[in-house]
Amino acid sequence: MLVVDVEATCWAGRPPDGETSEIIEIGLCELDVESGRRMGKHSILVRPERSSVSEFCTSLTTLTPEQVAGGVTYAEACRLLRKDFRSRDRVWASYGDYDRKQFERQGAYPFGPRHLNVKTLFALTRNLPREVGLAEALRIAGLPLEGTHHRGDDDAWNIAALLAGILLSARR
């Protein structure tokens, strides 16, 4: 299974005229469903074409305009997902629907039809009255938040830990 988390351009308020939110990082963690083992984390930096990285975005994600300027195009990132990670052939998961919808908005959807929303699954399996953010879910599960929150590769790694716990406990 492929666990995915994206970071996108963002602003403290409304986007500047002519700009729209677009993916600047695709974080990935391959999860062995049988063992629950996380098998490496990856980051694909994506060069924005219709927006810029704001100071607010850098403070949230730690990604600078210079870093993402060295990234690949969105089309190339989608090719890498399909070729290197077999994204069309695997179930993929994200924490909430934001990531799936962001890929759909940008076009060239690199995944197959099987998406798993870990945010909803976590709330249901824990009998929570509402869905909670990733940091709160990790706290509830007794797991550490590893790495930098709001960096795609670290968030994918943490989401995979949550999902592994859900899958393994379902087998008991």
Side-chain angles (χ1 to χ4, degrees):
M1 177 179 285
L2 198 56
V3 179
V4 177
D5 183 78
V6 300
E7 303 304 328
T9 52
C10 54
W11 302 268
R14 297 176 58 90
D17 286 343
E19 295 196 29
T20 184
S21 184
E22 60 187 320
I23 294 170
I24 55 174
E25 182 185 25
I26 303 168
L28 305 145
C29 179
E30 294 176 276
L31 178 64
D32 181 288
V33 175
E34 187 175 336
S35 69
R37 195 173 66 119
R38 296 175 287 178
M39 303 177 343
K41 63 180 176 176
H42 310 275
S43 172
I44 301 171
L45 293 182
V46 182
R47 183 173 58 250
E49 297 173 8
R50 301 176 310 278
S51 63
S52 57
V53 177
S54 67
E55 286 182 24
F56 172 80
C57 190
T58 296
S59 69
L60 183 66
T61 66
T62 73
L63 291 167
T64 65
E66 295 78 23
Q67 284 175 298
V68 299
V72 298
T73 64
Y74 177 72
E76 179 59 26
C78 288
R79 278 192 291 279
L80 287 169
L81 288 170
R82 289 188 300 268
K83 179 178 176 268
D84 295 350
F85 296 97
R86 302 181 336 273
S87 61
R88 288 208 194 268
D89 304 324
R90 297 168 115 174
V91 174
W92 73 284
S94 64
Y95 199 77
D97 272 338
Y98 173 83
D99 304 79
R100 181 183 56 78
K101 289 178 180 177
Q102 187 65 36
F103 278 107
E104 288 172 350
R105 279 190 291 272
Q106 278 195 238
Y109 191 75
F111 301 101
R114 299 172 301 162
H115 174 256
L116 181 65
N117 181 332
V118 178
K119 188 177 194 178
T120 299
L121 184 62
F122 183 79
L124 290 171
T125 59
R126 292 294 178 131
N127 199 29
L128 301 177
R130 61 177 174 74
E131 294 177 346
V132 297
L134 177 58
E136 178 69 2
L138 290 166
R139 187 193 65 73
I140 291 169
L143 296 170
L145 193 156
E146 297 181 54
T148 302
H149 193 26
H150 298 300
R151 275 304 302 264
D153 57 345
D154 289 335
D155 283 353
W157 182 256
N158 288 310
I159 296 163
L162 272 178
L163 181 55
I166 293 168
L167 295 174
L168 293 174
S169 69
R171 294 191 197 129
R172 291 185 198 137

